[in-house]
Every structure is written in C-alpha cells, then in structure tokens.
Amino acid sequence: MPLETSPFRPAWWLPGAHAQTLWPYLCRRLPSVRYRRERLELPDGDFLDLDWHAAAPVAGPLVLVLHGLEGCSRSGYARGLVAAMARHGWRGVVMNFRGRSGEPNRLPRSYNAGDTRDLAHVVEILRAREPHAPLACVGYSLGGNMLLKWLGESGSHDRLRAAVAVSVPFLLEPLARRMQRGLSRAYLAYFMRLLRRGYRHKFTTRGLLPPYPLDELHRLRDFFAFDERITAPLHGYAGIYDYYRRASCRQYLPGIRTPTLILHAADDPFMVPEVVPAPHELPETVTLELSPNGGHVGFVSGPWPWHAEYWLERRIPAFLAQWLPTSDPTTEQERETAPVAAD
C-alpha cells in the first residue's frame, strides 16, 4: 500500500510535536562534517554552491541533499545525513539554494518552494559527469516539496534511482495559515526574521533595486505578506495565491515514477492534517509513511537524552539501500587527502 504506518517511536522524554521539532535544533551535538565547496555558474548569470562531504568515499553512489526554508549545508539534519551516507559508502552533497551558502546571490530573485529549474540543472550536471554513478536525492521540508514537484512534473524515472522527502508541506496556503496559530507563531517569527534579514543583506550588499522598500520590511510579519510582496513578484508569479497553487507539490504526486519514500508526522506543527495526500493520490512508486508523532524534521528516539537517536538517519539510508549499492568506505587516509572548504 502506498500509505503505511511509520515504525518510528518517539523518545519518551520528548513528548509532543514542539519538543520533537526543537530538540535537534537546540540540543543536538552535531556531527563534525567538513565540506569541499563547488560553485556552479547558472545559465541566467547567477550561481549556487554545492557542498561535498570531504570525508566521504572518493567514488560510488551519490546522494543529493536539499535543505528547507532558510537552511543550508550547515543545518543539523543535512550534516547528520551526509555523515550517515558516508557510513554506507555513499557520497553526500548538499545543494545550497541561491543565496544560502553564506554569500548573497547576484540576481534579485532567490529560491522558492516551486522553482525546480535549479534542481533539474544540478541533477543534469551530476548525471553528465558520472553517468554510471547511481544517484538519489533527499529533500527536507521546502526542499522536499521542490523534490516531489520536480519528480512529478518531469514524469521520468531514469534520472534518480530513488528519492526521499521529509516533512513536506504538500499545500502551501494551509501551511501559511497554520503558522499564524498557537505556538507555531514562534516558528513564524523566527523564519520572518531570517527572511527579512537575508533580503536586506542581499539588496544592500549587491546594490540591487529592491522590489519592496527596505525601510518597510518590518511590516512583513507573516508568509502571506512576504510571499505577496517579495516571493511572488520576484519569481514571476501573478500573486500569492498563484504562487501557492502552482508551487504546491501535492498535485504532482500522481506523476512520480521514481521509487520515493515520504516521511511525515501527523503532529507536525507547521501543517494541518488536511494537507496529507489520500492513498488514491499516491502512485505505486510512492510510499508515504505517516507517524502519529515526530514533529517537523524531528523524529527523535532513544532511551535517554544523552543517548538520543536521530531516526531519520537510519530510516533514510535503509530505504535508499534498496536502490543504491553499499560498499566499504575508503580509508580515512584516502579521505583526508580531499581538498576541504570551511564548514
């Protein structure tokens, strides 16, 4: 069945969606991951940066990681996953979306939940370089929406061996409304600070003409306001509802032909239950594992706080192992010879 009950069991000491969501961000001791940076020049004159796990095997299957809203390769879930990939003999590489690698991108536009062109471009580059290397992709939150939309609209099954999407919004408008309620407003305030700060920094640093006055940014306090005045016009949408409608991935799910696993928690504080697709919307190639608990990109288990286990870093490789060959990683001495960029 495309819809299955998740085997995830939350840690007894992390009850509730907010505890599951916040623990990895606030309390996790992150794995030490060193990256080798590669800059890709894009056809429109902009750029984005790929961060390759420098201590990963020097050859073998590739796993491309897509971060969430205002995330990057330094995000805890990205670092944890690429470290887990290396233990399976796979190479992890994080695609930093435009402007999310520590340097503002060149153009007024940025990234958004529905823009799949950069993802398609990166995948084509990786496939052209190593046509025989198995390639998979994992997307978190906004990156998961982007991944599922691209898989569905492309209608192809030969670019990726497999894909995994975690804590996907599915429908963007209900997410924007949910974030205005209850304790989720704290997450909204956090994201809005990041979005306003990034917008101000780019248009100040690059000397670009901002489509929305910098001295009025404080007025943009929720996703509706920011997406209506900034995201939609910068990315060619007719307005906020055109953006939410066209960028939401749920309508594209029936077209997915790549073996895909979706991991989602019913108590995700960013969502409402109605966004979760019904079984008849899922093709046979897609499995949705729905857990009662887990929060947003949380899924923390383990017997004690000092022995926390990050279940996603076991479940995702277990699924990908059905489609990617595993091998012994190269020796530490071989890995240490790889050129390294700052974490």
Side-chain angles (χ1 to χ4, degrees), residues 42 70 107 136 178 215 248 320:
L42 300 175
E70 293 300 279
L107 300 183
R178 176 66 179 88
D215 59 0
S248 295
L320 294 181

Side-chain angles (χ1 to χ4, degrees), residues 80-98:
L81 185 63
V82 296
M85 297 296 103
R87 292 193 292 270
H88 286 75
W90 305 332
R91 292 175 288 165
V93 54
V94 183
M95 172 182 161
N96 296 288
F97 302 152
R98 300 191 192 208

